[in-house]
Amino acid sequence: MVFELKNIYKDYLQGKEAVPVLKDISLDVSEGEYVAIMGPSGSGKSTLMNIIGCLDKQTKGSFVFDGCDIMQANDKKLSEIRNKKIGFVFQNFNLLPRQSALENVELPLLYAGVGKRERRQRARAALEKVGLAQRMMFKPTQLSGGQKQRVAIARAIVNDPKLLLADEPTGALDTKSGDQVMELFKELNDDGVTIVMITHEPDIARCAKRIMYIRDGELHGEKAGEQE
């Protein structure tokens, strides 16, 4: 089991009033799964992603990630989980503009204390895996949107994480580039990478093997994606 959410609630304070955002959410994700979480704007999907990504904590309920009770974890432990066990892919890439593709991919390894030689080898291998062997020394401004997202994916997988967590990974891409990124996700999942993807696009969600729906802070039924 990669993670298990049980009866998760999340409230935010507005003044003195607690506003519920997530309501009684339970979700298990096992190793090798590919899950899409679909929902419209304001449904709570970003809040749920932040909790799964250990960027925020639930108000109540149980969240166990790779055997660790997240509610009991201190900031140092959470930082270690985010760095070594979760690979993040964002809609807007979040690349450092002055660094090369290779240097961007090296960053998680740098934070993890990996030596320079090994860091470079692993970053090169990750970029080769996403088809950017010829673009390693290019800076983000020299890359297309699809190539930038491939760099971001390489950065996300360079630490061999337990989970690849993608937030609207095709949201800033044209259709062709988006299709290429989804094909890459399929290849990674076929290689055993566990993926949870947040999206509002039905065509993108159908690329996953399991689809969940979030609306008004509640997680509803599921159905098989096109890969089943």
Side-chain angles (χ1 to χ4, degrees):
M1 186 72 66
V2 176
F3 70 81
E4 183 178 31
L5 298 164
K6 272 190 180 176
N7 309 118
I8 294 292
Y9 289 81
K10 179 65 179 180
D11 300 336
Y12 287 108
L13 282 176
Q14 285 188 354
K16 294 182 179 180
E17 188 178 344
V19 178
V21 179
L22 299 180
K23 308 164 190 172
D24 198 18
I25 284 180
S26 295
L27 175 65
D28 297 349
V29 173
S30 300
E31 287 194 22
E33 281 205 81
Y34 185 176
V35 181
I37 299 174
M38 265 199 81
S41 180
S43 60
K45 63 182 187 295
S46 293
T47 300
L48 179 57
M49 191 208 78
N50 287 338
I51 289 174
I52 294 172
C54 300
L55 297 164
D56 197 1
K57 286 187 177 181
Q58 68 271 27
T59 304
K60 63 177 179 177
S62 167
F63 177 29
V64 176
F65 188 100
D66 195 30
C68 175
D69 182 346
I70 296 302
M71 203 66 159
Q72 304 303 318
N74 59 25
D75 288 345
K76 183 179 179 182
K77 180 64 176 176
L78 291 175
S79 181
E80 182 182 316
I81 289 172
R82 288 193 299 268
N83 177 237
K84 296 182 178 179
K85 296 190 176 184
I86 303 174
F88 294 92
V89 178
F90 299 99
Q91 177 176 340
N92 294 319
F93 323 127
N94 288 10
L95 301 176
L96 297 179
R98 296 182 181 179
Q99 307 298 317
S100 68
L102 188 64
E103 289 167 331
N104 269 282
V105 175
E106 283 182 331
L107 275 177
L109 301 172
L110 181 66
Y111 297 143
V114 176
K116 185 175 181 180
R117 187 173 179 180
E118 183 186 347
R119 201 163 70 222
R120 189 129 294 197
Q121 287 175 342
R122 286 168 62 178
R124 283 181 181 276
L127 282 165
E128 286 168 3
K129 194 166 190 174
V130 301
L132 287 179
Q134 308 304 317
R135 297 285 188 274
M136 292 188 186
M137 304 316 296
F138 285 43
K139 293 182 178 178
T141 52
Q142 299 170 301
L143 299 171
S144 69
Q147 288 170 340
K148 288 177 189 176
Q149 195 60 294
R150 284 173 177 265
V151 173
I153 293 166
R155 181 184 58 192
I157 64 173
V158 74
N159 251 341
D160 193 22
K162 296 286 290 186
L163 175 67
L164 182 63
L165 186 58
D167 183 17
E168 302 282 4
T170 63
L173 304 178
D174 59 50
T175 302
K176 182 180 177 182
S177 297
D179 289 346
Q180 290 171 345
V181 166
M182 286 299 95
E183 181 60 31
L184 178 55
F185 274 24
K186 180 183 184 302
E187 291 169 9
L188 291 171
N189 182 245
D190 287 345
D191 287 342
V193 177
T194 306
I195 301 173
V196 171
M197 175 174 64
I198 310 293
T199 184
H200 69 276
E201 299 182 59
D203 288 349
I204 297 302
R206 280 193 288 270
C207 294
K209 292 178 179 173
R210 180 156 64 113
I211 305 174
M212 308 293 295
Y213 298 88
I214 186 167
R215 185 175 291 276
D216 298 327
E218 298 179 356
L219 202 61
H220 297 284
E222 58 184 80
K223 65 180 181 180
E226 65 179 15
Q227 294 187 39
E228 283 291 89

